[in-house]
Amino acid sequence: MWRGGAAFVGAGLLLTACGSVSAEPPRLLKAPSVLKSDEQKPRDQEKPQGYNLLSLGALNAAIQQGREIHYVLPIKYTDGTIYNPSTGKNDKVRLRSYGDQFLAPMILMEPGQTVRISLLNQLPAEPNCKIDPKTGKPYATNAPHCFNNTNLHSHGLWVSPTGNSDNVLLNIEPGVNFQYEYNVPEDHPAGTFWYHPHKHGSTSIQVGSGMAGALVIKGSRVPTELSNGDLDTLLQPVTANADFAAQVMLIQQLPYACFDAQGNIEKDAKGQWICKDDQIGKVENFDAQFDPKAWSQSGRFTMFNGVVRPQMEAKTGQMYRWRLIHAGVEETINLRIRKMGPKAPATGLVKTVKAASDEVAKACTGADVTQYEVATDGLTRPQVFNKTVNNLQPGYRSDILFVLPEAGRYCVYDDSSGTDQVAGEDSPKIIGFIEATGDKVADTGAVVKAKLLEGASRLQGPVRDTVTGDINDGLKLTKYVPHPTITDAEIAKWGQPDIPITFNIDIQPNQHTRFTVNDKEYDPAVVNQTLVLGTAQQWILMSKFVNHPFHIHVNPFQVVSIRKKNPDGTPGPEWTDGIYAGMQGTWKDTLITDPNAIITVRTRYNRYIGEFVLHCHILDHEDKGMMQNVQIVLPGADGKAAAMGHH
Ligand SMILES: [Cu+2]
């Protein structure tokens, strides 16, 4: 929808449909660039030692057929600017980034591909980073440090967690290059995933610097009577923004700051963060920039695809698909799309946090645009779920379809007033604007249904009737769900105990605050959970204090029930609204645990063995210890976990 948006470039003033004038200089939404393979490069440049020349022909054949693909992903400091709505100027920033653009490239993969990614850590060396300058002693494991050490996590991918694959226990130091190899299985679900660094101790600083990119697996498998298919095959022909990159909405929150000579964040009289003309914004101070209240006080704005308050164009009556990816570090985002009211003020400078929420209250007063959610965390839902508020937690993905009902300007905004249980002071803010042209549409739901039916009409054979029947039956997507439901019988068959996971922030007077899972801080030498390959199991997720998004690598889980706690702590009624609206039955890899919820999820340990992690996806909590090591092992002859050596 932002393609062909060149009409906005250079337009100093925008006359909106309702006649009010927008004074804000337009910044167009950009789609991420798609990472290109380096296949033109002579292959001998990456030949390992002792390489057998005879196999070079086979390698080149695989590359030509697209079965093998090689990407190069450098990590470096990049100089650039970020628009600051409180001053109307572009702040200069120097941030760690993938490649030499702020917006990390999108990585496209296909089922069955071998994808090799050469990660080049070109960040400067930090020889003394293990020593705390305040004490002269080494940092503790759960004290964030060594911010230039890194690694690569393919969030949501169902691939091996070990060796050169999705191994987040690796440490790649500055100056070191490492080639990852992801064998994406032929039966991997297509969908919206993402990549980011995951080195314990530097994850928040690096993701907060903008190191996060979309990772999309393209689907081309049409459903048959015998097997389910990829949602892409239904949607792509009937979606207005059919280009994969044009569907990506990477949501980032960069808490960049400028520092005075004493190393303190430059602030104005109200505590809002400022940068003088000769200063450069950075993300380097963990305590100051990832304090629970830092983001809401900073006055910084959420970005779509690396742009603050971007403008987008759209046509009414068309169906658009957004692949929303919450790549922020710690904040809840309640995403709404809403028509601006007839008396919407001109948008211009937004000088204070209060002014930002006032702007939402004055401008975003029209009707909500319904978001038709088709996938959670990249995995197709059993049935389309309609929402007007999309609760997004760090790590979540939400694939939505939407139709704009009438011409005019729309706010895309974060309606997060009072939802932050940690800081308790989030306020609403506009994230971007849509300018729609075209005729009025009476019923956007009818348009979505008609488009899905049009997609289904392209199917051949009896499966066409099945899919058409599903769509007519409340927009069901049964033939596009990647994983079969885990039944009571399947859980009972394995007879394994439920695994309880409880997050907590343990605050005691005169002691350091502990960020724990099951009352323990992260210990790299301990494997906290041992799971048996090929089995299914139930997990119970809870939080003792404020909410934390639970995330586990490798195998996704299916949400079975979310029950509100009774006053005596026992499970009460199902929680089906607010942050848990439409969750039951979906497949996810990240799920918020509220202190008043008792959550039951089920998962299968399929195909892959080895050690990986589960953790809170508020990344500063993870860096401070809210993480566990998990391993999947082979069963012994008795069907139970076989003993396995550990470092
Ligand atoms: Cu947390």
Side-chain angles (χ1 to χ4, degrees):
M1 57 203 287
W2 31 93
R3 295 185 181 257
F8 283 105
V9 176
L13 293 177
L14 281 177
L15 197 64
T16 64
C18 57
S20 67
V21 170
S22 160
E24 189 168 350
R27 290 167 304 284
L28 299 178
L29 184 76
K30 285 180 283 200
S33 63
V34 180
L35 194 58
K36 298 221 168 46
S37 80
D38 74 334
E39 58 195 300
Q40 285 80 15
K41 208 168 87 179
R43 304 310 296 182
D44 58 359
Q45 284 190 13
E46 47 159 313
K47 275 192 313 195
Q49 287 179 9
Y51 193 82
N52 180 354
L53 280 174
L54 287 177
S55 62
L56 195 57
L59 184 61
N60 281 332
I63 291 162
Q64 277 155 19
Q65 291 158 14
R67 286 184 284 120
E68 185 182 315
I69 195 151
H70 178 220
Y71 295 120
V72 177
L73 197 58
I75 299 171
K76 53 175 91 163
Y77 273 103
T78 296
D79 290 309
T81 59
I82 295 177
Y83 177 70
N84 187 338
S86 68
T87 60
K89 292 181 187 165
N90 291 313
D91 287 336
K92 282 180 262 178
V93 291
R94 180 170 299 153
L95 299 170
R96 294 170 182 84
S97 65
Y98 287 118
D100 39 23
Q101 293 180 21
F102 275 133
L103 179 58
M106 173 172 78
I107 297 178
L108 275 174
M109 297 186 183
E110 288 175 39
Q113 262 181 349
T114 296
V115 180
R116 284 151 57 229
I117 299 179
S118 292
L119 193 73
L120 318 178
N121 186 351
Q122 297 173 351
L123 294 170
E126 302 173 289
N128 300 316
C129 70
K130 287 180 183 156
I131 305 296
D132 183 349
K134 284 183 205 141
T135 63
K137 292 181 183 153
Y139 281 105
T141 299
N142 296 310
H145 62 280
C146 291
F147 299 142
N148 289 350
N149 290 355
T150 195
N151 62 28
L152 188 62
H153 173 43
S154 52
H155 184 127
L157 288 205
W158 178 47
V159 295
S160 167
T162 62
N164 290 46
S165 188
D166 184 20
N167 183 346
V168 300
L169 301 172
L170 290 177
N171 179 27
I172 301 175
E173 300 205 346
V176 175
N177 301 334
F178 181 72
Q179 194 173 79
Y180 285 85
E181 181 171 290
Y182 301 94
N183 293 296
V184 185
E186 199 65 69
D187 52 355
H188 194 292
T192 306
F193 306 98
W194 63 299
Y195 65 94
H196 62 83
H198 207 303
K199 174 72 185 78
H200 186 60
S202 65
T203 305
S204 326
I205 286 271
Q206 293 185 358
V207 174
S209 297
M211 288 173 60
L215 194 172
V216 171
I217 298 200
K218 291 160 74 170
S220 57
R221 294 159 296 198
V222 173
T224 66
E225 281 303 291
L226 294 175
S227 67
N228 288 2
D230 293 320
L231 191 63
D232 290 341
T233 61
L234 181 74
L235 295 182
Q236 284 299 100
V238 294
T239 303
N241 56 336
D243 182 87
F244 282 95
Q247 296 168 350
V248 167
M249 296 294 271
L250 189 79
I251 303 168
Q252 289 178 290
Q253 299 181 315
L254 275 50
Y256 69 89
C258 293
F259 295 89
D260 65 18
Q262 284 71 47
N264 299 312
I265 293 179
E266 295 272 13
K267 297 176 183 173
D268 66 13
K270 286 187 171 152
Q272 200 164 316
W273 299 3
I274 53 170
C275 287
K276 295 169 186 154
D277 284 345
D278 59 342
Q279 288 180 313
I280 294 175
K282 294 174 178 174
V283 179
E284 302 289 347
N285 185 326
F286 181 94
D287 290 335
Q289 292 176 286
F290 297 95
D291 179 274
K293 295 188 175 180
W295 177 261
S296 52
Q297 290 173 346
S298 69
R300 299 286 176 247
F301 277 71
T302 302
M303 303 194 300
F304 275 142
N305 292 348
V307 184
V308 170
R309 288 163 68 99
Q311 309 267 358
M312 301 163 250
E313 280 187 329
K315 293 264 188 295
T316 61
Q318 296 284 316
M319 187 175 82
Y320 293 95
R321 178 183 187 177
W322 277 0
R323 298 170 182 265
L324 297 163
I325 302 170
H326 190 329
V329 173
E330 57 183 15
E331 302 296 322
T332 293
I333 292 173
N334 279 322
L335 191 97
R336 272 184 195 264
I337 308 171
R338 196 180 254 192
K339 187 86 194 332
M340 283 192 174
K343 290 184 180 152
T347 55
L349 293 187
V350 188
K351 288 189 178 164
T352 62
V353 174
K354 169 95 171 39
S357 63
D358 288 349
E359 182 190 40
V360 169
K362 283 183 193 143
C364 314
T365 56
D368 279 311
V369 174
T370 304
Q371 303 171 44
Y372 300 89
E373 189 179 61
V374 292
T376 51
D377 294 351
L379 303 170
T380 302
R381 300 181 57 100
Q383 185 172 17
V384 175
F385 188 78
N386 302 359
K387 33 177 94 169
T388 50
V389 183
N390 200 340
N391 178 265
L392 300 169
Q393 300 294 336
Y396 277 25
R397 283 88 67 217
S398 170
D399 281 52
I400 57 165
L401 308 175
F402 66 92
V403 175
L404 299 175
E406 58 178 328
R409 267 167 89 72
Y410 292 78
C411 305
V412 184
Y413 72 103
D414 176 10
D415 189 12
S416 281
S417 47
T419 55
D420 188 327
Q421 295 186 353
V422 183
E425 53 180 63
D426 264 8
S427 57
K429 264 184 194 170
I430 290 177
I431 309 177
F433 305 95
I434 307 175
E435 177 84 31
T437 53
D439 297 333
K440 248 187 178 170
V441 175
D443 181 352
T444 62
V447 175
V448 169
K449 185 175 172 184
K451 294 280 182 192
L452 295 182
L453 288 171
E454 187 190 333
S457 72
R458 292 158 192 261
L459 290 164
Q460 306 288 324
V463 74
R464 181 170 59 193
D465 294 338
T466 311
V467 172
T468 302
D470 273 352
I471 294 167
N472 281 319
D473 182 15
L475 302 186
K476 289 202 174 114
L477 299 169
T478 319
K479 289 302 289 180
Y480 299 92
V481 175
H483 303 291
T485 286
I486 304 178
T487 60
D488 295 348
E490 185 174 345
I491 292 296
K493 175 179 144 192
W494 299 108
Q496 303 184 99
D498 294 354
I499 298 180
I501 295 290
T502 302
F503 292 117
N504 191 24
I505 303 177
D506 187 11
I507 304 167
Q508 303 288 347
N510 304 320
Q511 287 177 32
H512 98 275
T513 297
R514 297 164 66 245
F515 291 77
T516 63
V517 183
N518 295 349
D519 290 324
K520 291 203 169 68
E521 296 174 283
Y522 179 62
D523 182 346
V526 171
V527 175
N528 304 89
Q529 309 290 348
T530 295
L531 316 169
V532 183
L533 183 70
T535 67
Q537 197 163 14
Q538 199 159 264
W539 295 53
I540 311 295
L541 312 177
M542 288 188 287
S543 168
K544 270 190 192 159
F545 176 66
V546 302
N547 50 31
H548 305 275
F550 167 85
H551 171 53
I552 188 162
H553 295 196
V554 188
N555 295 289
F557 50 81
Q558 188 173 28
V559 181
V560 174
S561 89
I562 301 165
R563 296 175 68 179
K564 264 191 182 137
K565 260 184 208 161
N566 290 322
D568 65 359
T570 56
E574 279 289 325
W575 187 340
T576 57
D577 60 356
I579 57 173
Y580 294 124
M583 289 282 187
Q584 280 79 355
T586 60
W587 288 86
K588 285 181 71 61
D589 57 52
T590 311
L591 178 60
I592 186 90
T593 61
D594 186 282
N596 294 310
I598 300 172
I599 301 171
T600 305
V601 301
R602 290 172 179 171
T603 181
R604 294 186 184 95
Y605 314 125
N606 268 337
R607 189 172 288 155
Y608 300 107
I609 58 166
E611 199 175 318
F612 53 98
V613 294
L614 65 82
H615 59 92
C616 170
H617 219 289
I618 294 178
L619 296 173
D620 43 300
H621 294 179
E622 179 221 310
D623 274 335
K624 288 198 271 193
M626 210 176 267
M627 181 155 89
Q628 283 196 335
N629 284 329
V630 178
Q631 67 175 352
I632 297 177
V633 300
L634 296 175
D638 60 356
K640 296 202 170 74
M644 230 166 121
H646 188 254
H647 46 250

